[in-house]
Amino acid sequence: MHSYTALRKNSTPYLLILPTVITMIIFSVYPFVSGILYSFTDIKFVGGTATWVGLENFTRLFGGKVNTSINFYKAFQKNILWTVCVIGGQLIIGYIAALLLNEKLPGQAIFRTLIMLPWAIPSVVMALTWQWMYDPFFGLINYYLKELGFIKEYITWVGQPNSTIWPLVIIGIWRGVPFLTLMLLSGLQSIPDELYEAAKVDGASVIQRFRYLTLPLMRPVTMVVLMLTTMWWWNSFDIQRVMTPVLSLGYNSMTLPILAWHEAFQWKHLGRGAAISVISLVVMFVFIIINARRELGDVKESR
Amino acid sequence: MRSKFMPIITILFIASLVFSACTSTPTAAPQESVATEAPIEAPAESEEPAVTEAPAEPEEATTEPVKLSLYSLAWIQDNQDMTVELINQFNEEHKGKIEIEYIQGDWGEVENYITSGVAGGGGIADIVEGDTGMGLGWYDQGFLVDLTPYITDEIRATMPEEYWASRTARDGKVFLSGTVTGSEIIVFYSPAALEKAGIEPSSPDNLWSWEQLVENAKLLTLDANGKHLGEDGFDSANVAQWGFMPRLDNEKIWEEGQIFVMQATGQPMIRKGDDGVWDIFFDEAGIPVLESYLNIVNVGITPDKAIGLTGDSQNEAFAQGQAAMILRGYFNISVLKGLYPVFEFAVMPIPMSSENKEYYVDNWGQGFSIPVTSEHPAEAAEFIFWVQEAIQNAKYASSISMAPVNPDALQDPVLLDDPNWDTMRFYRSIEKLLVVEYNTNQSEFVTSVYAPTLMAVVSGEKTLDQAMEEIKALSKDILNQ
């Protein structure tokens, strides 16, 4: 009787979390594990027949002069460039915006609302709007750049082999700035005013206060934000997908998620698409581990 | 605390591994994949011909109509309306027996729709619209019902054998019905602009060659002062009207470019060589044509902003008088009429040799398929082959401005009374249909190698020789995966 009561008591928490765990297994863990398994097969579509091919998908990706490999290396390089530039841009503009919004300015509430707009617009609506703005013939960007004398001829900005990744980077920065601003602003507001006042009394300039007070105190928030945004933007898919026509790889803007999608769903190499995702995941995982270890080390040191 | 949870997490992880290992079907032993070699057998019911199934059904079964749904890829309003109208007409004619519901689909989504639907075991339409390339891919993956048992001699006679060939898989089973063929492209022109420049449009009796098209386009490329390209004082930085503005992008550089090459060579570019190995062939006769086509920006008759131009922008430029001639598929007649009802335009044949007056076209086309998840393939087949009959086919073709698969449809008053279909009738009179075997790796090859490399020629970054060499270096590997 005693053991039954103890069992009931001990099992209650597990029973309570069971629905969540089951849901997670079905919708997160199972697809995740399946994806890894698929990367070792020649499966053509989800639920289809598959033959175990070992590391063949990976060797083809890393294997020299075949098209798959050429695409993979291009996409890998572009993914790094994309992530670094988007996050770098977001961080710089986000910091500036957060510092401005942290000041007691008139109309501050309006600015705080306005800066959230890019974050609030649905991805596809946002991407389609930018697509029209970048239109080589009737887009606003070409029109104003020509009117202002910055360009002589209209430019094909996106979606073609000769277009670059930079127009998409601008969209990525524009899209992500609100989140960074909000997070950094909350971090800035947690720094006690007294510290700044003391620094002022000691004769520290604005730049010195930013360099020796704000930046070190903001470091934990910044690192968390960087880690989160790196994961998001490394895996970013919607902007590139909508801005690039289906039949165009967008050669200079082809990132790993786009290539994985083409391999898996357009070219019917689901196993190869899964392999690209696995490699992408491993890179992210390594980045996260290194970052987490460094952060944990810093926390221990500060104790 | 951590030690308590670790076993649970471990168990859950192992459970998920077992779960996924049970549901997905990778086999450990190395064996030859049959997925691409032979299609998965369609359910037994689909193998039974409609004629043998029908008598077995009790009379009472017809009191409650069989309900079907159709996933339409119609993207032009007229075509959407016509598909609905045909469905309503069919429903009326089969009242109490079959009732079809229209579902609006999308070309960009249909691949995911059918893949996820079949993988999920249902929940998708009984009839799915598609094209010959897509259909073959779906059939090879076991997504589609074999239509052969439903094809009577009467139905067989409604479409030329070449079109049946492109709808027939390697195992001889038909996977797609026919509605329209789609490779026919035409030159849309502004009659006012040509008249002003004193240019006679191309006609069956006086066909333009590529050289003539380029020369005429130079006369039609006007600067803000009305001077044409090549004339003294022509201001190339201030062009008000471009002579010729096709869409130059990955999609069109393949679709339209291969048609021009076929006119010269009479052969598809992607085909099996004498050794039975798939490859792309740059036949000698096609190279000058390809060169002319890829060189239009460098010549100055086409703006470099035509690179990456969308169809909408192209039509807008044409309607606004910024382009005297554009290159589009036949379907664009419907699009232009819908968008610019008062804009006057006309159509003429694409450049071809007057001496060798032949119009080569591949047997690509659209139609309807039945996914294996359909519970009523016989009834679905009844509809899709009903649409293939001349009267319905003419209405359907007219609404989308694409050539009907049924030759009799072109003589139907719906198409006979429309002068825009004269060029199509001319095409048909000189048409040489090429039976093109579809390579399932063509999409990867075109998207990732062929089109981007040739686009570099258009933008002047590569010569055609360099591009052909680069393409040939990768083609066999991709096309024979």
Side-chain angles (χ1 to χ4, degrees):
Chain A
M1 191 64 188
H2 174 74
S3 61
Y4 174 72
T5 315
L7 185 70
R8 257 187 69 182
K9 196 177 170 187
N10 288 337
S11 61
T12 306
Y14 299 113
L15 285 173
L16 288 172
I17 63 164
L18 194 62
T20 312
V21 171
I22 290 172
T23 311
M24 277 191 68
I25 288 175
I26 293 172
F27 294 108
S28 293
V29 183
Y30 167 62
F32 176 75
V33 175
S34 300
I36 294 172
L37 286 176
Y38 286 158
S39 70
F40 298 101
T41 70
D42 69 349
I43 190 165
K44 297 280 187 291
F45 72 100
V46 180
T49 321
T51 307
W52 188 266
V53 294
L55 291 172
E56 195 185 302
N57 289 324
F58 294 92
T59 50
R60 196 173 164 91
L61 285 171
F62 289 114
K65 289 182 178 174
V66 292
N67 188 52
T68 316
S69 179
I70 294 168
N71 285 337
F72 175 72
Y73 283 114
K74 275 185 183 171
F76 198 91
Q77 286 167 7
K78 280 289 173 298
N79 221 52
I80 294 171
L81 183 72
W82 159 262
T83 311
V84 169
C85 294
V86 166
I87 293 175
Q90 286 177 4
L91 196 66
I92 293 166
I93 299 173
Y95 246 113
I96 295 168
L99 287 168
L100 287 173
L101 290 172
N102 198 34
E103 297 299 315
K104 290 179 178 60
L105 300 169
Q108 198 185 39
I110 296 169
F111 288 123
R112 280 187 189 182
T113 312
L114 281 179
I115 205 159
M116 288 308 293
L117 271 183
W119 191 253
I121 299 171
S123 297
V124 176
V125 176
M126 176 269 302
L128 287 172
T129 309
W130 275 96
Q131 202 177 41
W132 262 106
M133 283 168 54
Y134 278 132
D135 187 283
F137 211 93
F138 298 103
L140 287 175
I141 293 174
N142 265 346
Y143 174 78
Y144 283 114
L145 287 178
K146 197 173 180 190
E147 285 293 301
L148 295 169
F150 289 111
I151 56 171
K152 284 183 180 172
E153 284 290 316
Y154 285 172
I155 294 170
T156 302
W157 294 102
V158 290
Q160 292 305 317
N162 58 346
S163 47
T164 66
I165 199 170
W166 303 112
L168 300 188
V169 168
I170 291 172
I171 304 175
I173 293 171
W174 176 84
R175 176 77 166 162
V177 158
F179 175 76
L180 255 92
T181 306
L182 206 70
M183 295 294 281
L184 295 173
L185 184 61
S186 66
L188 284 173
Q189 287 175 342
S190 68
I191 301 174
D193 286 344
E194 293 80 6
L195 290 177
Y196 288 106
E197 281 158 19
K200 266 186 203 171
V201 172
D202 290 342
S205 65
V206 174
I207 294 170
Q208 283 172 323
R209 290 203 294 273
F210 179 73
R211 168 75 183 80
Y212 297 106
L213 261 182
T214 310
L215 277 185
L217 290 169
M218 285 290 285
R219 195 176 156 199
V221 177
T222 311
M223 293 316 292
V224 169
V225 169
L226 271 184
M227 207 136 80
L228 279 175
T229 48
T230 304
M231 282 191 285
W232 292 342
W233 291 96
W234 176 263
N235 293 318
S236 164
F237 174 77
D238 50 358
I239 291 175
Q240 293 97 317
R241 169 72 182 83
V242 178
M243 298 296 290
T244 311
V246 174
L247 280 178
S248 169
L249 267 176
Y251 240 45
N252 296 314
S253 56
M254 177 179 64
T255 51
L256 287 174
I258 291 291
L259 180 63
W261 179 79
H262 269 279
E263 284 281 8
F265 300 110
Q266 293 298 110
W267 305 337
K268 299 287 178 287
H269 307 139
L270 192 58
R272 223 178 277 166
I276 294 170
S277 302
V278 167
I279 294 167
S280 181
L281 176 83
V282 169
V283 173
M284 225 1 46
F285 201 63
V286 169
F287 172 80
I288 291 166
I289 297 267
I290 292 170
N291 222 1
R293 281 173 68 104
R294 207 181 60 185
E295 285 307 301
L296 282 171
D298 286 355
V299 171
K300 276 180 191 167
E301 273 174 29
S302 65
R303 280 177 183 168
Chain B
M1 192 65 182
R2 189 197 292 174
S3 62
K4 274 186 182 178
F5 278 103
M6 281 312 287
I8 296 168
I9 291 167
T10 311
I11 289 165
L12 288 174
F13 189 73
I14 291 166
S16 68
L17 268 174
V18 173
F19 184 39
S20 61
C22 290
T23 48
S24 58
T25 50
T27 48
Q31 59 184 48
E32 216 164 285
S33 169
V34 292
T36 53
E37 298 301 323
I40 293 166
E41 290 293 314
E45 60 180 358
S46 68
E47 302 208 335
E48 292 299 316
V51 282
T52 56
E53 266 187 6
E57 285 179 18
E59 279 297 309
E60 292 75 29
T62 58
T63 53
E64 187 63 31
V66 169
K67 297 201 171 177
L68 306 174
S69 50
L70 181 147
Y71 185 87
S72 163
L73 296 182
W75 57 279
I76 297 170
Q77 188 62 49
D78 278 359
N79 190 221
Q80 290 171 355
D81 295 344
M82 181 50 70
T83 310
V84 172
E85 194 182 312
L86 287 172
I87 286 173
N88 290 341
Q89 190 188 330
F90 181 85
N91 287 347
E92 191 59 37
E93 286 178 18
H94 296 76
K95 209 167 191 175
K97 291 179 185 166
I98 307 172
E99 195 178 304
I100 302 178
E101 182 196 3
Y102 179 90
I103 300 172
Q104 183 59 57
D106 183 276
W107 280 94
E109 294 303 322
V110 64
E111 199 73 40
N112 292 342
Y113 177 78
I114 196 161
T115 307
S116 55
V118 174
I124 54 169
D126 302 88
I127 302 164
V128 175
E129 195 163 16
D131 67 28
T132 47
M134 281 173 165
L136 180 61
W138 297 339
Y139 184 78
D140 277 349
Q141 291 171 86
F143 295 177
L144 300 181
V145 162
D146 166 25
L147 301 176
T148 317
Y150 308 109
I151 301 169
T152 60
D153 290 346
E154 203 181 337
I155 292 172
R156 191 90 196 173
T158 57
M159 192 161 73
E161 280 304 314
E162 291 89 342
Y163 292 147
W164 284 114
S166 62
R167 289 160 173 83
T168 304
R170 281 174 278 269
D171 62 0
K173 306 285 171 64
V174 175
F175 55 83
L176 186 82
S177 72
T179 49
V180 290
T181 66
S183 298
E184 292 87 353
I185 50 173
I186 36 177
V187 176
F188 289 74
Y189 67 92
S190 155
L194 263 70
E195 200 181 323
K196 199 175 166 190
I199 298 168
E200 277 291 311
S202 179
S203 67
D205 300 327
N206 183 25
L207 285 168
W208 288 6
S209 62
W210 261 102
E211 291 75 25
Q212 281 171 291
L213 180 130
V214 171
E215 286 311 310
N216 288 330
K218 282 181 183 171
L219 296 175
L220 291 164
T221 304
L222 305 174
D223 67 12
N225 301 315
K227 291 191 172 176
H228 65 77
L229 177 61
E231 195 175 349
D232 280 346
F234 172 75
D235 183 4
S236 61
N238 207 4
V239 175
Q241 176 186 280
W242 293 92
F244 184 50
M245 195 187 283
R247 269 175 67 189
L248 295 169
D249 57 29
N250 278 4
E251 186 183 346
K252 297 299 167 192
I253 210 84
W254 163 247
E255 281 181 11
E256 294 173 351
Q258 68 155 344
I259 291 174
F260 295 136
V261 172
M262 279 197 297
Q263 298 315 118
T265 64
Q267 296 206 73
M269 294 180 82
I270 294 177
R271 60 180 191 266
K272 280 181 185 164
D274 296 336
D275 53 0
V277 177
W278 282 99
D279 202 356
I280 179 138
F281 292 89
F282 294 103
D283 300 299
E284 213 171 300
I287 292 176
V289 171
L290 199 57
E291 205 149 28
S292 296
Y293 172 54
L294 299 175
N295 208 28
I296 51 178
V297 173
N298 295 332
V299 171
I301 57 172
T302 303
D304 56 6
K305 62 194 166 190
I307 298 170
L309 200 65
T310 63
D312 288 343
S313 296
Q314 187 191 29
N315 282 337
E316 181 78 12
F318 183 45
Q320 284 189 11
Q322 294 175 45
M325 296 188 288
I326 62 169
L327 184 72
R328 291 301 298 262
Y330 231 96
F331 66 88
N332 201 46
I333 294 174
S334 285
V335 178
L336 274 174
K337 279 182 178 173
L339 286 173
Y340 311 100
V342 294
F343 172 60
E344 278 187 32
F345 67 90
V347 299
M348 59 181 166
I350 57 167
M352 55 178 85
S353 162
S354 284
E355 294 83 50
N356 181 23
K357 206 193 278 184
E358 285 177 337
Y359 182 77
Y360 288 98
V361 64
D362 69 24
N363 51 352
W364 182 93
Q366 288 178 212
F368 295 107
S369 289
I370 304 173
V372 289
T373 48
S374 172
E375 290 174 7
H376 305 286
E379 288 79 2
E382 198 170 338
F383 173 79
I384 65 178
F385 292 122
W386 175 80
V387 176
Q388 208 170 290
E389 290 170 15
I391 299 172
Q392 285 78 248
N393 197 207
K395 287 181 184 172
Y396 185 92
S398 170
S399 71
I400 196 175
S401 289
M402 287 168 85
V405 289
N406 190 326
D408 294 340
L410 269 179
Q411 304 309 320
D412 190 275
V414 174
L415 302 180
L416 202 59
D417 299 341
D418 187 342
N420 281 326
W421 285 87
D422 289 345
T423 302
M424 179 61 77
R425 274 184 279 273
F426 165 64
Y427 278 169
R428 279 288 155 90
S429 69
I430 57 165
E431 199 167 77
K432 302 269 183 199
L433 267 174
L434 293 175
V435 178
V436 178
E437 195 183 341
Y438 185 75
N439 182 301
T440 45
N441 295 306
Q442 184 176 301
S443 170
E444 177 183 355
F445 173 68
V446 169
T447 315
S448 66
V449 175
Y450 178 89
T453 314
L454 287 193
M455 282 300 292
V457 178
V458 173
S459 54
E461 292 161 44
K462 282 177 187 161
T463 64
L464 181 58
D465 285 341
Q466 283 173 323
M468 288 192 297
E469 199 178 318
E470 284 179 27
I471 292 168
K472 289 290 276 184
L474 295 166
S475 56
K476 277 188 181 169
D477 175 64
I478 304 169
L479 293 168
N480 295 287
Q481 286 180 84

mmCIF file of all heavy atoms in Angstrom, chain B residues 183-204:
data_model
loop_
_atom_site.group_PDB
_atom_site.id
_atom_site.type_symbol
_atom_site.label_atom_id
_atom_site.label_comp_id
_atom_site.label_asym_id
_atom_site.label_seq_id
_atom_site.Cartn_x
_atom_site.Cartn_y
_atom_site.Cartn_z
ATOM 1 N N SER B 183 4.227 24.538 -75.488
ATOM 2 C CA SER B 183 5.536 25.038 -75.882
ATOM 3 C C SER B 183 5.474 26.136 -76.930
ATOM 4 O O SER B 183 6.481 26.766 -77.221
ATOM 5 C CB SER B 183 6.373 23.888 -76.433
ATOM 6 O OG SER B 183 6.551 22.937 -75.435
ATOM 7 N N GLU B 184 4.307 26.324 -77.526
ATOM 8 C CA GLU B 184 4.226 27.304 -78.614
ATOM 9 C C GLU B 184 4.433 28.714 -78.089
ATOM 10 O O GLU B 184 3.711 29.169 -77.210
ATOM 11 C CB GLU B 184 2.867 27.220 -79.315
ATOM 12 C CG GLU B 184 2.665 25.933 -80.101
ATOM 13 C CD GLU B 184 2.119 24.800 -79.266
ATOM 14 O OE1 GLU B 184 2.007 24.962 -78.037
ATOM 15 O OE2 GLU B 184 1.807 23.742 -79.839
ATOM 16 N N ILE B 185 5.433 29.394 -78.631
ATOM 17 C CA ILE B 185 5.653 30.788 -78.252
ATOM 18 C C ILE B 185 5.485 31.672 -79.484
ATOM 19 O O ILE B 185 5.670 31.217 -80.621
ATOM 20 C CB ILE B 185 7.031 31.017 -77.600
ATOM 21 C CG1 ILE B 185 8.152 30.411 -78.444
ATOM 22 C CG2 ILE B 185 7.073 30.489 -76.197
ATOM 23 C CD1 ILE B 185 9.539 30.762 -77.940
ATOM 24 N N ILE B 186 5.118 32.902 -79.252
ATOM 25 C CA ILE B 186 4.856 33.829 -80.350
ATOM 26 C C ILE B 186 5.447 35.195 -80.020
ATOM 27 O O ILE B 186 5.744 35.492 -78.859
ATOM 28 C CB ILE B 186 3.333 34.012 -80.597
ATOM 29 C CG1 ILE B 186 2.572 33.984 -79.272
ATOM 30 C CG2 ILE B 186 2.798 33.015 -81.592
ATOM 31 C CD1 ILE B 186 1.094 34.232 -79.415
ATOM 32 N N VAL B 187 5.590 35.990 -81.056
ATOM 33 C CA VAL B 187 6.040 37.368 -80.851
ATOM 34 C C VAL B 187 4.801 38.261 -80.802
ATOM 35 O O VAL B 187 3.998 38.261 -81.737
ATOM 36 C CB VAL B 187 6.987 37.813 -81.981
ATOM 37 C CG1 VAL B 187 7.374 39.279 -81.797
ATOM 38 C CG2 VAL B 187 8.230 36.933 -82.022
ATOM 39 N N PHE B 188 4.630 38.952 -79.693
ATOM 40 C CA PHE B 188 3.551 39.940 -79.566
ATOM 41 C C PHE B 188 4.118 41.272 -80.065
ATOM 42 O O PHE B 188 5.240 41.625 -79.706
ATOM 43 C CB PHE B 188 3.132 40.101 -78.103
ATOM 44 C CG PHE B 188 2.393 38.919 -77.538
ATOM 45 C CD1 PHE B 188 3.060 37.750 -77.219
ATOM 46 C CD2 PHE B 188 1.030 38.984 -77.305
ATOM 47 C CE1 PHE B 188 2.385 36.663 -76.689
ATOM 48 C CE2 PHE B 188 0.343 37.906 -76.776
ATOM 49 C CZ PHE B 188 1.018 36.732 -76.472
ATOM 50 N N TYR B 189 3.362 41.992 -80.857
ATOM 51 C CA TYR B 189 3.890 43.275 -81.340
ATOM 52 C C TYR B 189 2.818 44.347 -81.309
ATOM 53 O O TYR B 189 1.613 44.063 -81.282
ATOM 54 C CB TYR B 189 4.475 43.123 -82.745
ATOM 55 C CG TYR B 189 3.467 42.817 -83.835
ATOM 56 C CD1 TYR B 189 2.870 43.834 -84.578
ATOM 57 C CD2 TYR B 189 3.115 41.500 -84.127
ATOM 58 C CE1 TYR B 189 1.957 43.550 -85.588
ATOM 59 C CE2 TYR B 189 2.207 41.203 -85.128
ATOM 60 C CZ TYR B 189 1.624 42.232 -85.857
ATOM 61 O OH TYR B 189 0.712 41.942 -86.839
ATOM 62 N N SER B 190 3.313 45.570 -81.306
ATOM 63 C CA SER B 190 2.406 46.707 -81.353
ATOM 64 C C SER B 190 2.227 47.079 -82.829
ATOM 65 O O SER B 190 3.183 47.542 -83.466
ATOM 66 C CB SER B 190 3.021 47.882 -80.574
ATOM 67 O OG SER B 190 2.492 49.094 -81.050
ATOM 68 N N PRO B 191 1.040 46.878 -83.413
ATOM 69 C CA PRO B 191 0.831 47.190 -84.836
ATOM 70 C C PRO B 191 1.169 48.648 -85.141
ATOM 71 O O PRO B 191 1.735 48.949 -86.194
ATOM 72 C CB PRO B 191 -0.660 46.911 -85.045
ATOM 73 C CG PRO B 191 -1.046 45.974 -83.954
ATOM 74 C CD PRO B 191 -0.186 46.333 -82.788
ATOM 75 N N ALA B 192 0.862 49.541 -84.191
ATOM 76 C CA ALA B 192 1.120 50.973 -84.421
ATOM 77 C C ALA B 192 2.620 51.234 -84.546
ATOM 78 O O ALA B 192 3.060 51.971 -85.442
ATOM 79 C CB ALA B 192 0.537 51.784 -83.267
ATOM 80 N N ALA B 193 3.414 50.605 -83.673
ATOM 81 C CA ALA B 193 4.867 50.825 -83.694
ATOM 82 C C ALA B 193 5.490 50.292 -84.984
ATOM 83 O O ALA B 193 6.345 50.940 -85.595
ATOM 84 C CB ALA B 193 5.509 50.151 -82.477
ATOM 85 N N LEU B 194 5.039 49.122 -85.416
ATOM 86 C CA LEU B 194 5.595 48.537 -86.651
ATOM 87 C C LEU B 194 5.195 49.357 -87.868
ATOM 88 O O LEU B 194 6.006 49.582 -88.768
ATOM 89 C CB LEU B 194 5.133 47.087 -86.812
ATOM 90 C CG LEU B 194 6.148 46.031 -86.314
ATOM 91 C CD1 LEU B 194 6.249 46.054 -84.811
ATOM 92 C CD2 LEU B 194 5.791 44.640 -86.810
ATOM 93 N N GLU B 195 3.963 49.813 -87.871
ATOM 94 C CA GLU B 195 3.473 50.608 -88.997
ATOM 95 C C GLU B 195 4.272 51.907 -89.106
ATOM 96 O O GLU B 195 4.689 52.305 -90.197
ATOM 97 C CB GLU B 195 1.984 50.894 -88.784
ATOM 98 C CG GLU B 195 1.263 51.285 -90.068
ATOM 99 C CD GLU B 195 -0.202 51.591 -89.831
ATOM 100 O OE1 GLU B 195 -0.826 50.911 -88.989
ATOM 101 O OE2 GLU B 195 -0.699 52.546 -90.453
ATOM 102 N N LYS B 196 4.500 52.533 -87.949
ATOM 103 C CA LYS B 196 5.243 53.791 -87.923
ATOM 104 C C LYS B 196 6.668 53.613 -88.464
ATOM 105 O O LYS B 196 7.218 54.499 -89.126
ATOM 106 C CB LYS B 196 5.293 54.310 -86.479
ATOM 107 C CG LYS B 196 5.615 55.779 -86.355
ATOM 108 C CD LYS B 196 5.503 56.192 -84.905
ATOM 109 C CE LYS B 196 6.142 57.554 -84.701
ATOM 110 N NZ LYS B 196 6.253 57.882 -83.279
ATOM 111 N N ALA B 197 7.251 52.446 -88.167
ATOM 112 C CA ALA B 197 8.622 52.188 -88.631
ATOM 113 C C ALA B 197 8.647 51.597 -90.037
ATOM 114 O O ALA B 197 9.721 51.327 -90.581
ATOM 115 C CB ALA B 197 9.303 51.233 -87.653
ATOM 116 N N GLY B 198 7.483 51.381 -90.617
ATOM 117 C CA GLY B 198 7.394 50.831 -91.971
ATOM 118 C C GLY B 198 7.804 49.377 -92.050
ATOM 119 O O GLY B 198 8.404 48.934 -93.034
ATOM 120 N N ILE B 199 7.488 48.638 -91.019
ATOM 121 C CA ILE B 199 7.885 47.224 -90.979
ATOM 122 C C ILE B 199 6.662 46.325 -91.165
ATOM 123 O O ILE B 199 5.643 46.517 -90.495
ATOM 124 C CB ILE B 199 8.563 46.894 -89.628
ATOM 125 C CG1 ILE B 199 9.843 47.723 -89.470
ATOM 126 C CG2 ILE B 199 8.862 45.411 -89.514
ATOM 127 C CD1 ILE B 199 10.425 47.682 -88.078
ATOM 128 N N GLU B 200 6.794 45.373 -92.065
ATOM 129 C CA GLU B 200 5.743 44.374 -92.264
ATOM 130 C C GLU B 200 5.930 43.262 -91.240
ATOM 131 O O GLU B 200 7.031 42.701 -91.147
ATOM 132 C CB GLU B 200 5.852 43.768 -93.674
ATOM 133 C CG GLU B 200 5.189 44.584 -94.766
ATOM 134 C CD GLU B 200 3.664 44.581 -94.641
ATOM 135 O OE1 GLU B 200 3.083 43.493 -94.489
ATOM 136 O OE2 GLU B 200 3.065 45.687 -94.682
ATOM 137 N N PRO B 201 4.913 42.924 -90.481
ATOM 138 C CA PRO B 201 5.104 41.830 -89.518
ATOM 139 C C PRO B 201 5.351 40.496 -90.210
ATOM 140 O O PRO B 201 5.002 40.327 -91.379
ATOM 141 C CB PRO B 201 3.775 41.802 -88.744
ATOM 142 C CG PRO B 201 2.805 42.549 -89.582
ATOM 143 C CD PRO B 201 3.569 43.495 -90.431
ATOM 144 N N SER B 202 5.970 39.609 -89.471
ATOM 145 C CA SER B 202 6.215 38.268 -90.003
ATOM 146 C C SER B 202 4.882 37.572 -90.284
ATOM 147 O O SER B 202 3.920 37.745 -89.528
ATOM 148 C CB SER B 202 7.012 37.463 -88.971
ATOM 149 O OG SER B 202 7.253 36.172 -89.431
ATOM 150 N N SER B 203 4.837 36.822 -91.354
ATOM 151 C CA SER B 203 3.591 36.116 -91.686
ATOM 152 C C SER B 203 3.961 34.780 -92.324
ATOM 153 O O SER B 203 5.114 34.591 -92.757
ATOM 154 C CB SER B 203 2.767 36.945 -92.666
ATOM 155 O OG SER B 203 3.450 37.021 -93.894
ATOM 156 N N PRO B 204 3.013 33.875 -92.430
ATOM 157 C CA PRO B 204 3.335 32.566 -93.010
ATOM 158 C C PRO B 204 3.994 32.677 -94.384
ATOM 159 O O PRO B 204 4.835 31.852 -94.743
ATOM 160 C CB PRO B 204 1.973 31.881 -93.094
ATOM 161 C CG PRO B 204 1.175 32.494 -91.989
ATOM 162 C CD PRO B 204 1.629 33.911 -91.906
#
